[in-house]
Amino acid sequence: MAAERKTGIFHTIFANFAFILIFSAVIITAASAGFFYAAPAASARSEKAPDFNLKVLNPGISGYKDFSPSAFKGRVVIINFWTTWCPHCRSEMPLLAKFYEAERGKGVVVLGINVNDNLDGVRSFVRFYKIPYPVVYGTSRVISDYGGVNEIPQTFFIAKNGDLAFRWVGGITVGVLKGVTDKLLSMP
């Protein structure tokens, strides 16, 4: 009986150790593959947001003819890179539109940067969905300046002083939008 008890304890300890080892390997692999990535875009030293000046595709609805992030110093700028074929992009558009309508009076500006290959298709999409915030067509330079934007959607938050403050990769939520924006609005 004592031999059975020792074997049972050894088996339990080994099973627990194996579980912890396998679980740790899965977490490390997922983290290194970027599955948990939602890191700040700026490091300890501040980094100015790349500037550009692009023609707005929906001037009648948004009220903007062209867009340059540097023109909005003193406001929080949210830049969302998207495509028309991306399901997450499409699902977050109503959320971004509603957020923009609710927050723009508080000094928040939302900009959509489309990275499709077909400009006419983007214009039709923007007209059809009546997107209220300004939308521009991303150039290769802008895409490169913002780190290549290899995953879509991707959202950048620019602080009131013009620094890149945060980058979110993947579909965004109201909680993230509100939390990051409120924090940036409270900063000088």
Side-chain angles (χ1 to χ4, degrees):
M1 185 176 246
E4 287 178 23
R5 194 174 297 136
K6 284 183 183 176
T7 305
I9 290 172
F10 176 74
H11 178 72
T12 302
I13 291 170
F14 179 75
N16 287 340
F17 178 74
F19 173 77
I20 291 169
L21 188 63
I22 291 169
F23 182 75
S24 299
V26 168
I27 295 298
I28 290 168
T29 302
S32 65
F35 287 109
F36 304 122
Y37 185 73
S43 60
R45 64 176 180 69
S46 61
E47 178 184 346
K48 289 293 177 200
D51 200 24
F52 54 83
N53 188 13
L54 296 174
K55 184 178 178 188
V56 172
L57 301 176
N58 57 343
I61 296 171
S62 71
Y64 296 92
K65 289 184 181 177
D66 48 42
F67 195 96
S68 176
S70 64
F72 293 94
K73 261 200 165 155
R75 298 189 201 175
V76 172
V77 179
I78 301 169
I79 298 178
N80 178 257
F81 286 86
W82 65 282
T83 64
T84 58
W85 50 263
C86 163
H88 288 299
C89 303
R90 288 175 152 215
S91 69
E92 64 183 18
M93 284 197 168
L95 175 111
L96 285 166
K98 187 175 180 181
F99 185 79
Y100 173 67
E101 294 290 347
E103 301 291 319
R104 70 180 177 182
K106 299 174 187 171
V108 177
V109 179
V110 174
L111 172 70
I113 299 182
N114 185 277
V115 294
N116 275 30
D117 290 332
N118 183 336
L119 180 57
D120 290 332
V122 176
R123 282 191 176 118
S124 297
F125 184 92
V126 169
R127 260 192 318 272
F128 182 78
Y129 286 98
K130 297 181 178 105
I131 300 169
Y133 53 86
V135 174
V136 298
Y137 189 70
T139 64
S140 58
R141 188 188 124 249
V142 170
I143 293 166
S144 175
D145 287 351
Y146 278 83
V149 189
N150 296 322
E151 298 174 56
I152 299 292
Q154 209 167 128
T155 306
F156 292 82
F157 292 79
I158 301 173
K160 293 186 289 186
N161 66 0
D163 286 349
L164 279 176
F166 193 78
R167 177 177 70 183
W168 183 267
V169 178
I172 201 156
T173 65
V174 173
V176 171
L177 279 170
K178 189 83 174 121
V180 175
T181 301
D182 285 351
K183 179 69 175 172
L184 293 176
L185 284 170
S186 73
M187 297 170 67

